[in-house]
Amino acid sequence: KMNKIKKKLNESKIVKKLKNLSKLIHKHNVLYHNKDKPIISDREYDQLVKENQKLEKEYPHLVLKDSPNQKIGAATSKKFLKSIHKMPMLSLANAFEKKDVEDFIVRIKKFLNFDREKINFVCEPKIDGLSINLYYINGKLSKASTRGDGKIGEEVTENIKTIEEIPINLFGTKFPEEIEIRGEIFLTKKDFLLINEKLHSKNKFSNPRNAAAGSIRQLDTNVAKSRPLKFIAHGLGVSSKQFEKLNEIYEQFNKWKIPINKLIETAGTLEEMMDYYYKISQKRSNIEYDIDGIVFKLNNIFLQNRLGFVGKNPRWAVALKFSAEKTTTL
């Protein structure tokens, strides 16, 4: 009987902790995604999420109905029209060390019942920008929207049309009837500093990501037009054209004059994946835009579809985060 009482008391503490973490994560999601004014570092945010995930794994029967693990981003702002994504925009599961990536590969092989079959991964830098969804009908940009809560975003089409790198009409011929092209809007580090120099101290942005997001999430299109925003594509949503491999998608993007990352490579082993991670990590300070990790994605689209997703994360991709370049100290 005493053990039952102790167990109940302990579980009560865990539920309290989970509720507190949920409240904190939601608060920081709103500050980051809706207001573009985070008050904690990405690393601190990742630690909150990691702590929440650890507790949920240890006490699966205590997982809250509104667990942060089921939510992507934050609800849309009322100042923009809502836009429903044809296919949800999922968020990536995070890895923090080599063992996490190894476990990721093991889980994939176990799920697919692959023992010795070879699988390969597309490796690319994870740009710290604003996720965007470009919806093209017969090669013409019909609508552009932010990620929002993953299912419903904010329509920002007119602002996106001011970005030179995003074609309003795809180049070439024989386009899919409909296609969602996904990627990141960002500012280079150099352009971010130039923008901040012109702003009053209280209006300065804390980092390039917030400056890019703040530029796109404006009702006045002249703000977006006045800033040298860039775009790099990293995936697809719904598409009436079928592809076999992620590499093929990127090749097609090139033909359509959709910018892709020039640092993309393919890896077939854990060692090759980690070599790529360390190589990009060493180049990080010389790359013109902010990156906060490396994304590993299964190259085979058929296998991606078989794997599907769990909660808000696709099973076929993971983001191996870099250690913070700066942190807070006393």
Side-chain angles (χ1 to χ4, degrees):
K1 195 174 182 180
M2 282 300 292
N3 284 340
K4 278 186 178 180
I5 292 169
K6 282 181 182 177
K7 187 181 176 184
K8 258 196 167 182
L9 286 170
N10 182 53
E11 288 191 349
S12 176
K13 285 181 182 177
I14 298 301
V15 169
K16 192 175 179 182
K17 184 72 176 172
L18 284 168
K19 283 181 178 177
N20 186 47
L21 282 167
S22 178
K23 192 176 175 181
L24 272 174
I25 291 168
H26 174 69
K27 172 189 170 183
H28 293 302
N29 275 341
V30 170
L31 286 168
Y32 183 89
H33 293 284
N34 283 3
K35 300 188 177 179
D36 307 314
K37 289 184 178 177
I39 57 173
I40 61 172
S41 68
D42 286 355
R43 190 166 182 79
E44 288 171 296
Y45 176 82
D46 287 341
Q47 288 303 321
L48 290 174
V49 173
K50 200 174 179 182
E51 188 180 355
N52 185 76
Q53 287 173 337
K54 187 182 176 185
L55 287 173
E56 289 190 348
K57 196 173 180 181
E58 286 178 25
Y59 303 94
H61 59 296
L62 300 180
V63 174
L64 304 174
K65 285 182 181 178
D66 61 344
S67 162
N69 265 332
Q70 303 301 317
K71 294 180 179 179
I72 302 168
T76 57
S77 167
K78 289 178 182 177
K79 69 180 182 179
F80 293 99
L81 289 174
K82 291 182 179 180
S83 173
I84 300 170
H85 306 310
K86 296 279 182 178
M87 185 183 288
M89 292 182 76
L90 303 174
S91 65
L92 296 172
N94 286 335
F96 298 94
E97 57 186 12
K98 182 180 178 180
K99 180 71 168 59
D100 295 334
V101 180
E102 187 177 11
D103 291 343
F104 161 69
I105 298 169
V106 168
R107 284 196 303 271
I108 283 178
K109 289 196 167 187
K110 189 177 178 183
F111 189 97
L112 296 172
N113 199 22
F114 275 23
D115 184 16
R116 295 178 185 176
E117 291 95 331
K118 285 188 176 180
I119 54 175
N120 64 6
F121 296 87
V122 170
C123 317
E124 58 190 89
K126 184 176 180 292
I127 297 176
D128 195 10
L130 175 72
S131 295
I132 211 81
N133 186 55
L134 307 175
Y135 181 55
Y136 286 85
I137 298 177
N138 295 317
K140 185 177 177 66
L141 181 61
S142 171
K143 188 165 59 172
S145 50
T146 62
R147 182 164 65 177
D149 65 1
K151 293 178 182 177
I152 301 173
E154 299 158 342
E155 195 196 317
V156 288
T157 313
E158 295 309 310
N159 285 343
I160 290 302
K161 284 180 178 178
T162 67
I163 301 172
E164 287 181 22
E165 291 185 328
I166 297 177
I168 293 172
N169 294 290
L170 298 176
F171 284 74
T173 56
K174 296 181 182 177
F175 304 113
E177 190 178 325
E178 63 171 356
I179 192 166
E180 287 179 316
I181 297 173
R182 285 157 181 190
E184 297 291 310
I185 302 291
F186 63 96
L187 282 163
T188 64
K189 298 170 187 174
K190 183 181 174 182
D191 287 334
F192 161 69
L193 293 173
L194 290 172
I195 287 168
N196 253 3
E197 277 177 16
K198 297 173 185 176
L199 296 174
H200 189 274
S201 57
K202 68 175 183 178
N203 295 324
K204 288 186 188 296
F205 294 104
S206 57
N207 57 52
R209 185 265 166 202
N210 295 336
S215 303
I216 287 298
R217 301 177 74 254
Q218 292 281 341
L219 294 175
D220 182 1
T221 56
N222 289 315
V223 176
K225 195 174 183 178
S226 69
R227 292 175 181 168
L229 297 162
K230 310 285 186 193
F231 172 75
I232 283 182
H234 56 51
L236 278 186
V238 75
S239 172
S240 53
K241 177 179 170 63
Q242 299 305 308
F243 297 90
E244 288 185 15
K245 293 184 177 177
L246 189 54
N247 281 343
E248 286 179 26
I249 292 172
Y250 289 155
E251 284 170 19
Q252 186 62 69
F253 284 173
N254 253 333
K255 291 174 184 175
W256 288 337
K257 298 286 192 285
I258 293 280
I260 60 168
N261 204 306
K262 293 172 184 174
L263 297 170
I264 290 171
E265 288 183 22
T266 305
T269 65
L270 174 64
E271 283 67 34
E272 287 173 359
M273 292 160 81
M274 293 309 297
D275 284 347
Y276 177 85
Y277 171 83
Y278 293 126
K279 180 174 73 175
I280 300 298
S281 180
Q282 287 173 349
K283 288 182 180 179
R284 185 181 178 190
S285 59
N286 294 321
I287 293 173
E288 65 174 3
Y289 45 80
D290 270 352
I291 60 175
D292 57 1
I294 297 298
V295 181
F296 299 118
K297 303 174 185 173
L298 193 62
N299 196 14
N300 187 300
I301 305 296
F302 172 72
L303 296 180
Q304 282 188 15
N305 293 333
R306 266 186 64 188
L307 285 159
F309 57 92
V310 56
K312 64 177 184 178
N313 308 130
R315 286 193 179 95
W316 45 267
V318 72
L320 178 57
K321 303 297 284 285
F322 291 134
S323 56
E325 285 190 306
K326 61 180 180 180
T327 188
T328 306
T329 185
L330 295 176

